[in-house]
């Protein structure tokens, strides 16, 4: 059995390293003056990443057939509408999770 204190130190260290890896680029990017072309390109990154994540989770291929997760599609549509209307990631995620929870309960 692993010593309890070693487990917590390893967990804390892994969390700290993970946090530093994710936060450092954001902090460094605040001090850099990017050219207009880079800024224009970066405006498309959130949309393309979200599209790739959604498509990967909603559509899959099994045995040469395209399979659509219709429950996921029904949960994503209200989340997209709220995201467009409110322009808030928090509300978008909240509505998506809530819709998926309600649809799975039905």
């Amino acid at each position: 059995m692993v010593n309890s204190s070693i487990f917590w130190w390893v967990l804390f260290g892994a969390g700290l390293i993970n946090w530093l890896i994710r936060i450092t680029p954001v902090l460094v990017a605040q001090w850099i003056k990017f050219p207009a072309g880079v800024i224009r390109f970066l405006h498309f990154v959130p949309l393309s990443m979200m599209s790739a994540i959604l498509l990967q989770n909603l559509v899959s291929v099994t045995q040469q057939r395209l399979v659509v997760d219709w429950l996921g599609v029904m949960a994503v549509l209200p989340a997209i509408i709220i995201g467009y209307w409110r322009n808030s990631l928090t509300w978008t995620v909240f509505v998506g999770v809530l819709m998926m929870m309600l649809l799975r309960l039905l």
Side-chain angles (χ1 to χ4, degrees):
M1 178 164 222
V2 177
N3 188 350
S4 177
S5 64
I6 293 173
F7 170 77
W8 289 111
W9 278 110
V10 169
L11 187 66
F12 174 75
L16 180 66
I17 298 263
N18 191 351
W19 185 78
L20 287 173
I21 289 172
R22 293 173 190 267
I23 296 300
T24 303
V26 173
L27 295 176
V28 171
Q30 291 178 353
W31 300 325
I32 298 173
K33 176 75 172 148
F34 291 108
V38 172
I39 297 294
R40 198 171 333 118
F41 169 76
L42 289 176
H43 282 297
F44 292 105
V45 171
L47 180 62
S48 62
M49 298 236 352
M50 191 61 146
S51 299
I53 291 169
L54 281 176
L55 189 62
Q56 175 185 350
N57 287 307
L58 296 178
V59 179
S60 62
V61 178
T62 58
Q63 298 177 358
Q64 306 298 330
R65 291 183 47 219
L66 190 66
V67 179
V68 177
D69 178 15
W70 292 109
L71 196 64
V73 170
M74 290 189 301
V76 163
L77 291 176
I80 290 173
I81 292 168
I82 292 295
Y84 180 77
W85 179 55
R86 297 286 302 198
N87 200 18
S88 168
L89 180 61
T90 304
W91 277 104
T92 304
V93 171
F94 177 73
V95 168
V97 169
L98 183 67
M99 286 302 300
M100 193 59 154
M101 181 184 70
L102 291 173
L103 288 169
R104 284 188 178 173
L105 286 175
L106 294 177

